[in-house]
Amino acid sequence: MLTEPTLTSRHEDGRDIPLLVWRADRPLLAVSSAPLGGGIGVRNWVVNATVPMSYHRDDPAEHLAELAGQLGLDGPGVGLLTGVDVADVVARTDTGVRVWATVGLGTPLQAAESAPVESASVEPAESGTRVGTVNIVIQMPARLGDAALVNAVATATEAKVQAIRELGLAATGTPTDAVTVLCPVDGAPAAYGGPRSTWGAPLARAVHAAVLAGGPGLVVPWSQRHSA
């Protein structure tokens, strides 16, 4: 399964910028909306990398692959980006489901707003911008079928929205949220991942608890905390 994440950093643009690294002791099946390693497939690691709010690269997958190479990570993996300081990761566990979330709710929106704001992988402005990305990494203790994995993404999103509403925001998320669900490749696959299923219910509770714990207050972007 995944190890607990290691907090490390890389030297980039004259600064030491933090990132979290999860390594799997054996390959895991994953579904993800991440820039690197998105889709469904076998993955060996996960990286959640802080970037400055001035981030302007238009090749985030290539950038994350470079970071993975610097870290000596082998095989396919999942790479996420955020303006949040990933040292502020929140972890929660429920019935064997382990969830880690980095929560920035400074740019809340309703998914079906009449005029949604177009956005890149990270909010581009440096000055006066509140960080707004929620990255969620979920480890399931049992094998999920492909449909159940997709269902688990929906369940995690519903639980995130529930937490955001309880935090007092009329929002469904931010423009740049991402979720990754990982499970063993072996075993009889569970058919369901909905919020009342055997594994979807604890997933929902753990995601809700992590976002609720990580969301209160204004999260200051890492690059505004650590200006060059």
Side-chain angles (χ1 to χ4, degrees), residues 61-136:
E62 288 78 4
H63 184 201
L64 285 158
E66 292 167 10
L67 298 181
Q70 294 169 17
L71 292 163
L73 299 172
D74 296 322
V78 172
L80 303 150
L81 296 173
T82 179
V84 173
D85 187 339
V86 294
D88 295 334
V89 64
V90 175
R92 293 292 185 270
T93 303
D94 192 304
T95 320
V97 177
R98 184 71 165 160
V99 169
W100 298 270
T102 51
V103 183
L105 293 171
T107 54
L109 57 70
Q110 300 275 26
E113 284 177 338
S114 57
V117 178
E118 236 178 272
S119 186
S121 59
V122 174
E123 298 299 320
E126 177 76 36
S127 177
T129 301
R130 299 176 300 164
V131 63
T133 298
V134 181
N135 283 340
I136 301 172

Side-chain angles (χ1 to χ4, degrees), residues 31 40 144-158 181 190-197 200 203:
V31 60
I40 296 179
L144 300 184
D146 285 358
L149 279 170
V150 175
N151 204 174
V153 172
T155 297
T157 302
E158 291 172 12
V181 182
Y192 306 108
R196 290 299 175 264
S197 65
L203 179 157

Side-chain angles (χ1 to χ4, degrees), residues 33-84:
S33 61
L36 176 66
I40 296 179
V42 175
R43 306 289 183 257
N44 297 334
W45 47 265
V46 178
V47 169
N48 190 9
T50 295
V51 292
M53 296 300 285
S54 57
Y55 189 76
H56 62 275
R57 288 186 60 156
D58 58 4
D59 59 346
E62 288 78 4
H63 184 201
L64 285 158
E66 292 167 10
L67 298 181
Q70 294 169 17
L71 292 163
L73 299 172
D74 296 322
V78 172
L80 303 150
L81 296 173
T82 179
V84 173

